[in-house]
Coordinates of all heavy atoms in Angstrom, one line a residue:
N1 N -3.0 4.2 -3.5 CA -3.5 5.4 -4.0 C -4.3 6.0 -2.9 O -4.7 5.4 -2.0 CB -4.2 5.5 -5.3 CG -3.4 4.8 -6.3 OD1 -2.4 5.4 -6.9 ND2 -3.8 3.6 -7.0
D2 N -4.5 7.4 -3.0 CA -5.3 8.2 -2.0 C -6.8 7.5 -2.2 O -7.2 7.2 -3.3 CB -5.3 9.7 -2.4 CG -4.0 10.2 -2.0 OD1 -3.1 9.5 -1.3 OD2 -3.6 11.3 -2.4
F3 N -7.6 7.6 -1.1 CA -9.0 7.2 -1.3 C -9.8 8.0 -0.2 O -9.4 8.8 0.5 CB -9.0 5.6 -0.9 CG -8.6 5.3 0.5 CD1 -9.5 5.2 1.5 CD2 -7.3 5.0 0.8 CE1 -9.1 4.9 2.7 CE2 -6.8 4.7 1.9 CZ -7.7 4.6 2.9
K4 N -11.2 7.7 -0.4 CA -12.1 8.4 0.5 C -12.8 7.4 1.3 O -13.3 6.3 0.9 CB -13.2 9.2 -0.3 CG -12.6 10.3 -1.1 CD -13.6 11.1 -1.8 CE -13.1 12.2 -2.6 NZ -14.1 13.0 -3.3
L5 N -12.9 7.6 2.6 CA -13.6 6.7 3.6 C -14.9 7.3 4.2 O -14.7 8.6 4.7 CB -12.5 6.4 4.8 CG -13.2 5.4 6.0 CD1 -13.7 4.1 5.3 CD2 -12.2 5.3 7.1
V6 N -16.0 6.9 3.8 CA -17.2 7.4 4.2 C -17.8 6.6 5.4 O -18.2 5.4 5.3 CB -18.2 7.4 3.0 CG1 -19.7 7.9 3.5 CG2 -17.7 8.1 1.9
I7 N -17.9 7.4 6.6 CA -18.5 6.8 7.8 C -19.7 7.5 8.3 O -19.7 8.7 8.5 CB -17.3 6.8 9.0 CG1 -16.1 5.9 8.4 CG2 -18.0 6.2 10.2 CD1 -14.9 6.0 9.5
N8 N -20.8 6.8 8.3 CA -22.1 7.6 8.7 C -22.3 8.7 7.8 O -22.7 9.8 8.4 CB -22.1 7.9 10.1 CG -22.1 6.6 11.1 OD1 -22.5 5.5 10.7 ND2 -21.8 6.9 12.3
K9 N -22.2 8.6 6.6 CA -22.4 9.7 5.6 C -21.4 10.9 5.7 O -21.7 11.9 5.1 CB -23.7 10.1 5.7 CG -24.9 9.0 5.3 CD -26.3 9.6 5.4 CE -27.3 8.6 5.2 NZ -28.7 9.0 5.1
I10 N -20.3 10.7 6.4 CA -19.3 11.7 6.6 C -18.1 11.3 5.7 O -17.6 10.1 6.0 CB -19.0 12.1 8.0 CG1 -20.1 12.5 8.7 CG2 -17.8 13.1 8.0 CD1 -19.9 12.7 10.3
T11 N -17.5 12.1 4.8 CA -16.5 11.7 4.0 C -15.2 12.2 4.5 O -15.1 13.3 4.9 CB -16.8 12.2 2.6 OG1 -18.0 11.8 2.0 CG2 -15.6 11.8 1.6
Y12 N -14.2 11.4 4.5 CA -12.8 11.6 5.0 C -11.9 11.4 3.9 O -11.9 10.2 3.2 CB -12.4 10.8 6.2 CG -13.4 10.9 7.5 CD1 -14.5 10.0 7.7 CD2 -13.1 11.9 8.4 CE1 -15.2 10.1 8.7 CE2 -13.8 12.0 9.6 CZ -15.0 11.3 9.6 OH -15.8 11.5 10.8
D13 N -11.1 12.3 3.5 CA -10.0 12.2 2.5 C -8.8 11.5 3.2 O -8.2 12.2 4.1 CB -9.7 13.5 1.9 CG -10.9 14.0 1.1 OD1 -11.6 13.2 0.4 OD2 -11.1 15.4 1.0
V14 N -8.4 10.5 2.5 CA -7.3 9.9 3.2 C -6.0 9.9 2.2 O -6.2 9.3 1.0 CB -7.5 8.2 3.5 CG1 -6.5 7.6 4.2 CG2 -8.8 8.1 4.4
Q15 N -5.0 10.3 2.6 CA -3.8 10.3 1.8 C -2.8 9.3 2.3 O -2.5 9.2 3.4 CB -3.1 11.7 2.0 CG -3.9 12.9 1.3 CD -3.3 14.2 1.5 OE1 -2.3 14.4 2.1 NE2 -3.8 15.2 0.8
C16 N -2.4 8.5 1.3 CA -1.5 7.3 1.6 C -0.1 7.7 1.2 O 0.3 8.3 0.1 CB -1.9 6.1 0.8 SG -3.5 5.5 1.0
P17 N 0.8 7.5 2.1 CA 2.3 7.9 1.8 C 2.8 6.9 0.6 O 2.4 5.8 0.6 CB 3.0 7.5 3.2 CG 2.1 6.6 3.9 CD 0.7 6.9 3.4
K18 N 3.5 7.4 -0.2 CA 4.1 6.7 -1.3 C 5.3 5.8 -0.7 O 6.2 6.3 -0.1 CB 4.6 7.6 -2.4 CG 3.6 8.5 -2.9 CD 2.3 7.8 -3.5 CE 1.4 8.6 -4.1 NZ 0.2 8.0 -4.7
K19 N 5.3 4.6 -1.1 CA 6.3 3.6 -0.7 C 7.4 3.7 -1.8 O 7.1 3.8 -3.0 CB 5.8 2.2 -0.5 CG 4.6 2.1 0.5 CD 4.3 0.7 0.5 CE 5.2 -0.3 0.8 NZ 4.8 -1.6 0.9
E20 N 8.6 3.5 -1.3 CA 9.8 3.5 -2.3 C 9.6 2.4 -3.1 O 9.4 1.1 -2.6 CB 11.1 3.6 -1.4 CG 11.3 4.9 -0.6 CD 12.5 4.9 0.1 OE1 13.3 3.9 -0.1 OE2 12.9 5.9 0.8
K21 N 10.0 2.4 -4.2 CA 9.9 1.3 -5.2 C 11.2 0.4 -4.9 O 12.3 0.9 -4.7 CB 10.0 1.9 -6.7 CG 8.6 2.5 -7.2 CD 8.8 2.8 -8.6 CE 7.4 3.6 -9.0 NZ 7.5 3.9 -10.5
L22 N 10.8 -0.7 -4.9 CA 11.9 -1.8 -4.6 C 12.8 -2.0 -5.8 O 12.3 -2.0 -7.0 CB 11.3 -3.2 -4.1 CG 10.4 -3.0 -2.8 CD1 9.7 -4.4 -2.6 CD2 11.3 -2.5 -1.7
S23 N 14.0 -2.3 -5.7 CA 14.8 -2.8 -6.8 C 14.3 -4.0 -7.3 O 13.8 -4.8 -6.6 CB 16.3 -2.7 -6.5 OG 16.5 -3.7 -5.3
S24 N 14.7 -4.4 -8.5 CA 14.2 -5.6 -9.1 C 14.8 -6.7 -8.3 O 14.2 -7.9 -8.1 CB 14.8 -5.7 -10.6 OG 16.2 -5.6 -10.6
E25 N 16.1 -6.7 -7.8 CA 16.6 -7.8 -6.9 C 15.9 -8.0 -5.7 O 15.5 -9.0 -5.3 CB 18.1 -7.6 -6.7 CG 18.7 -8.6 -6.0 CD 20.2 -8.3 -5.8 OE1 20.8 -7.3 -6.2 OE2 21.0 -9.1 -5.1
H26 N 15.5 -6.8 -5.0 CA 14.8 -6.9 -3.8 C 13.5 -7.4 -4.0 O 12.9 -8.2 -3.3 CB 14.7 -5.5 -3.1 CG 14.4 -5.5 -1.8 ND1 14.0 -4.3 -1.0 CD2 14.0 -6.5 -0.9 CE1 13.6 -4.8 0.2 NE2 13.7 -6.0 0.4
A27 N 12.8 -7.0 -5.1 CA 11.4 -7.5 -5.4 C 11.4 -8.9 -5.7 O 10.5 -9.6 -5.3 CB 11.0 -6.7 -6.7
T28 N 12.4 -9.5 -6.3 CA 12.5 -11.0 -6.6 C 12.6 -11.6 -5.2 O 12.1 -12.7 -4.8 CB 13.8 -11.2 -7.5 OG1 13.6 -10.4 -8.8 CG2 13.8 -12.7 -7.7
E29 N 13.4 -11.1 -4.4 CA 13.6 -11.7 -3.0 C 12.3 -11.7 -2.3 O 12.0 -12.8 -1.6 CB 14.7 -11.0 -2.1 CG 16.1 -11.1 -2.8 CD 17.1 -10.4 -2.0 OE1 16.7 -9.7 -0.9 OE2 18.3 -10.5 -2.2
M30 N 11.5 -10.7 -2.4 CA 10.2 -10.7 -1.7 C 9.3 -11.6 -2.2 O 8.6 -12.4 -1.5 CB 9.7 -9.2 -1.8 CG 10.4 -8.2 -1.0 SD 10.1 -8.5 0.8 CE 8.4 -8.2 1.0
E31 N 9.3 -11.7 -3.6 CA 8.4 -12.7 -4.2 C 8.8 -14.2 -3.8 O 7.9 -15.0 -3.6 CB 8.4 -12.6 -5.7 CG 7.7 -11.3 -6.2 CD 6.3 -11.3 -5.9 OE1 5.7 -12.5 -5.9 OE2 5.8 -10.2 -5.7
N32 N 10.1 -14.4 -3.7 CA 10.6 -15.9 -3.3 C 10.1 -16.0 -1.9 O 9.8 -17.1 -1.5 CB 12.0 -15.8 -3.4 CG 12.5 -15.9 -5.0 OD1 11.7 -16.3 -5.8 ND2 13.7 -15.5 -5.2
M33 N 10.2 -15.0 -0.9 CA 9.9 -15.1 0.3 C 8.4 -15.3 0.6 O 7.9 -16.3 1.3 CB 10.3 -13.9 1.2 CG 9.8 -13.8 2.7 SD 11.0 -15.1 3.5 CE 12.5 -14.3 3.4
K34 N 7.5 -14.6 -0.2 CA 6.0 -14.8 -0.3 C 5.8 -16.4 -0.6 O 5.0 -17.0 -0.1 CB 5.4 -14.0 -1.2 CG 5.5 -12.5 -0.7 CD 4.7 -11.5 -1.7 CE 4.8 -10.0 -1.3 NZ 4.0 -9.3 -2.4
S35 N 6.4 -16.8 -1.7 CA 6.3 -18.1 -2.2 C 6.5 -19.2 -1.1 O 6.0 -20.2 -1.0 CB 7.2 -18.4 -3.4 OG 6.9 -19.8 -3.9
L36 N 7.7 -18.9 -0.5 CA 8.3 -19.9 0.6 C 7.3 -19.9 1.8 O 6.9 -20.8 2.4 CB 9.5 -19.3 1.1 CG 10.2 -20.3 2.3 CD1 10.4 -21.7 1.9 CD2 11.5 -19.6 2.8
V37 N 6.7 -18.7 2.2 CA 5.8 -18.7 3.3 C 4.5 -19.4 2.9 O 3.9 -20.1 3.7 CB 5.5 -17.2 3.7 CG1 4.2 -17.1 4.6 CG2 6.7 -16.6 4.2

């Protein structure tokens, strides 16, 4: 999500790009890869 970064009392609004949602099959593969690593 978007957030605010405060550096030396100066506030910066940070906008995060939205990542595309992975399909259930791709998400399962990613979880398996994380577990293997």
Side-chain angles (χ1 to χ4, degrees):
N1 301 296
D2 297 342
F3 61 92
K4 295 181 179 181
L5 179 60
V6 179
I7 300 176
N8 293 342
K9 298 182 180 180
I10 300 177
T11 303
Y12 300 91
D13 292 325
V14 183
Q15 295 182 349
C16 299
K18 302 299 181 182
K19 296 177 65 177
E20 297 181 0
K21 293 185 178 180
L22 301 176
S23 63
S24 59
E25 183 179 355
H26 194 187
T28 303
E29 291 179 357
M30 288 295 295
E31 290 298 326
N32 293 336
M33 183 63 69
K34 292 179 183 179
S35 177
L36 178 60
V37 171

